[in-house]
Amino acid sequence: MSRPLTSTPKADGFRMPGEFESHGGCWMLWPERPDNWRLGAKPAQHAFTAVATAIAEGEPMTMGVSPAQYQNALAMLPPHIRVVEMTHDDSWIRDCGPTFVINGAGDLRAVDWEFNAWGGLDGGLYFPWDQDALVARKVAQMERVDWYAAPLVLEGGSIHVDGEGTLLTTEECLLNPNRNPLMTKADIEEMLGDYLNIEKTIWLDKGVFNDETSGHIDNIACFIRPGVVALTWTDDKSDPQYEISKDAYERLTAATDARGRKLEVHKIHQPTPVLITREESEGVDVVQGSQPRTEGERLAASYINFYIGNGVIVMARFDDPQDEPARQKLAELFPDRKIIAVPGREILLGGGNIHCITQQQPLGRK
Ligand code: KQY
């Protein structure tokens, strides 16, 4: 059975676990819309297949696929990946999917946030988004878990938690008037407390330069484990990312978490700025209301947007000199996991990266 609940996770003793805790599986959505993915999404489909295959080394993987793409996805994906029919608007399940919560007994439930495609009609990335808005409930139903409908516009990529009461986010996103214009910072913190069992929110100012999500945290900083954070970095003072990362570093090193710990902050140097080529731009259909992909535009490339899976870290590589130092740093930070670097450029061209296209399901009782 899978029912909507009217209480809150906090009242019921549920919390959002850290991504580094054990997973029962992972969810993705298959890319296909030609106004976001070049060449009818074929290169993106190969990139998504590589990500799903890497994650499936450590946990059961499910791909939600539209009816039109069902046969193709089944043919492209390895047979141990479950393919389920799931209508959606685009492929960012981190943002439109459920946030799972667990309790001390290991029971699993889902939080279904309100979704408005990163800003609705005031700066959102496409219209309509009604099918994406149903994804969280569809996943909860398929997994037979109860869910809470949270009265807050929130994308999963705008939060990272340590599983012990601390949440990282950015003011650029969560305080953006195109998300929850009638809520104050304190109101939002209260919601994060009620729906994720958060006691302490650490606010960074902005996300990665030119990130079309209004600066999601999952592209700039994340928890490695409680008390340890990774941050995207550049030493180039002329790069607009420099001041953003410097401010984030200062805020993180000044902060204490919900348990009163100081944070250990690890810098991971960003790749050389990635710009859209003419060929890439010309491969995307132009549709009014969708995000244009203009030649020369800088993409929000970052190594922070990785997925922490059971036994693996799945990170993006950009065929850049910083790929190897980033891989080495992640290997040092996650000594017990295999680091798998997959091509990230085609996913980045759609506006996000590996973390944005995945949603972990914690190991729990259903
Ligand atoms: O990065 C993300 N979390 C989502 C990006 C959405 C891009 C839509 N074109």
Side-chain angles (χ1 to χ4, degrees), residues 251-309:
R251 290 182 188 224
L252 286 167
T253 48
T256 49
D257 67 13
R259 299 275 174 101
R261 285 176 292 234
K262 297 285 284 180
L263 299 173
E264 184 182 311
V265 183
H266 293 267
K267 298 171 178 172
I268 299 187
H269 205 286
Q270 67 179 9
T272 312
V274 178
L275 311 182
I276 301 177
T277 66
R278 174 178 298 184
E279 188 190 352
E280 288 167 344
S281 166
E282 287 176 353
V284 180
D285 285 4
V286 175
V287 170
Q288 202 185 354
S290 295
Q291 187 74 355
R293 299 287 172 216
T294 313
E295 181 188 354
E297 190 193 334
R298 177 162 165 179
L299 296 161
S302 158
Y303 295 106
I304 296 294
N305 208 293
F306 56 84
Y307 181 78
I308 309 177

Side-chain angles (χ1 to χ4, degrees), residues 186-346:
D187 294 336
I188 290 171
E189 286 185 355
E190 194 178 329
M191 281 281 175
L192 298 170
D194 287 342
Y195 285 88
L196 300 174
N197 222 330
I198 294 305
E199 293 153 36
K200 173 100 185 244
T201 298
I202 299 174
W203 295 87
L204 304 189
D205 179 14
K206 293 191 176 116
V208 167
F209 174 70
N210 225 18
D211 189 328
E212 67 194 48
T213 62
S214 320
H216 274 186
I217 192 75
D218 70 348
N219 217 17
I220 185 167
C222 66
F223 281 108
I224 304 298
R225 57 184 173 273
V228 183
V229 169
L231 171 70
T232 198
W233 190 256
T234 177
D235 291 318
D236 179 358
K237 294 196 170 127
S238 69
D239 189 307
Q241 185 58 40
Y242 178 80
E243 285 301 330
I244 298 172
S245 286
K246 181 169 167 283
D247 179 79
Y249 185 80
E250 285 165 4
R251 290 182 188 224
L252 286 167
T253 48
T256 49
D257 67 13
R259 299 275 174 101
R261 285 176 292 234
K262 297 285 284 180
L263 299 173
E264 184 182 311
V265 183
H266 293 267
K267 298 171 178 172
I268 299 187
H269 205 286
Q270 67 179 9
T272 312
V274 178
L275 311 182
I276 301 177
T277 66
R278 174 178 298 184
E279 188 190 352
E280 288 167 344
S281 166
E282 287 176 353
V284 180
D285 285 4
V286 175
V287 170
Q288 202 185 354
S290 295
Q291 187 74 355
R293 299 287 172 216
T294 313
E295 181 188 354
E297 190 193 334
R298 177 162 165 179
L299 296 161
S302 158
Y303 295 106
I304 296 294
N305 208 293
F306 56 84
Y307 181 78
I308 309 177
N310 288 348
V312 298
I313 298 296
V314 185
M315 65 171 282
R317 62 176 168 78
F318 302 101
D319 299 326
D320 185 273
Q322 294 299 337
D323 285 359
E324 185 50 23
R327 196 199 63 76
Q328 279 176 19
K329 186 71 187 174
L330 290 178
E332 186 188 303
L333 293 172
F334 293 101
D336 301 329
R337 296 181 208 243
K338 174 179 166 188
I339 313 298
I340 306 176
V342 300
R345 187 172 182 111
E346 293 295 339

Side-chain angles (χ1 to χ4, degrees), residues 36 90 92 94-95 118 125-126 157 211-213 216 218 291 293 305 350-353 356:
N36 195 57
D90 202 2
W92 309 97
R94 176 64 54 190
D95 294 340
W118 308 274
L125 300 179
Y126 47 76
D211 189 328
E212 67 194 48
T213 62
H216 274 186
D218 70 348
Q291 187 74 355
R293 299 287 172 216
N305 208 293
N353 226 303
C356 311

Side-chain angles (χ1 to χ4, degrees), residues 75-227:
M76 285 183 71
L77 290 162
H80 57 287
I81 293 180
R82 172 170 71 154
V83 181
V84 298
E85 188 179 309
M86 189 177 290
T87 304
H88 52 276
D89 296 301
D90 202 2
S91 321
W92 309 97
I93 200 165
R94 176 64 54 190
D95 294 340
C96 65
T99 300
F100 287 99
V101 289
I102 55 171
N103 68 6
D107 299 316
L108 188 66
R109 292 181 178 170
V111 178
D112 175 15
W113 308 101
E114 290 179 16
F115 179 76
N116 75 354
W118 308 274
L121 299 181
D122 173 19
L125 300 179
Y126 47 76
F127 174 87
W129 54 82
D130 56 315
Q131 292 304 314
D132 278 350
L134 295 174
V135 165
R137 257 168 279 173
K138 290 179 182 176
V139 171
Q141 285 277 333
M142 283 187 189
E143 290 299 308
R144 299 185 185 282
V145 300
D146 294 339
W147 77 88
Y148 302 92
L152 181 74
V153 174
L154 182 140
E155 303 100 42
S158 69
I159 53 168
H160 259 305
V161 301
D162 69 355
E164 296 185 355
T166 317
L167 180 142
L168 288 179
T169 192
T170 64
E171 294 173 358
E172 180 186 357
C173 184
L174 252 61
L175 301 187
N176 194 312
N178 65 12
R179 302 306 208 280
N180 298 286
L182 302 180
M183 282 189 189
T184 63
K185 198 174 194 178
D187 294 336
I188 290 171
E189 286 185 355
E190 194 178 329
M191 281 281 175
L192 298 170
D194 287 342
Y195 285 88
L196 300 174
N197 222 330
I198 294 305
E199 293 153 36
K200 173 100 185 244
T201 298
I202 299 174
W203 295 87
L204 304 189
D205 179 14
K206 293 191 176 116
V208 167
F209 174 70
N210 225 18
D211 189 328
E212 67 194 48
T213 62
S214 320
H216 274 186
I217 192 75
D218 70 348
N219 217 17
I220 185 167
C222 66
F223 281 108
I224 304 298
R225 57 184 173 273

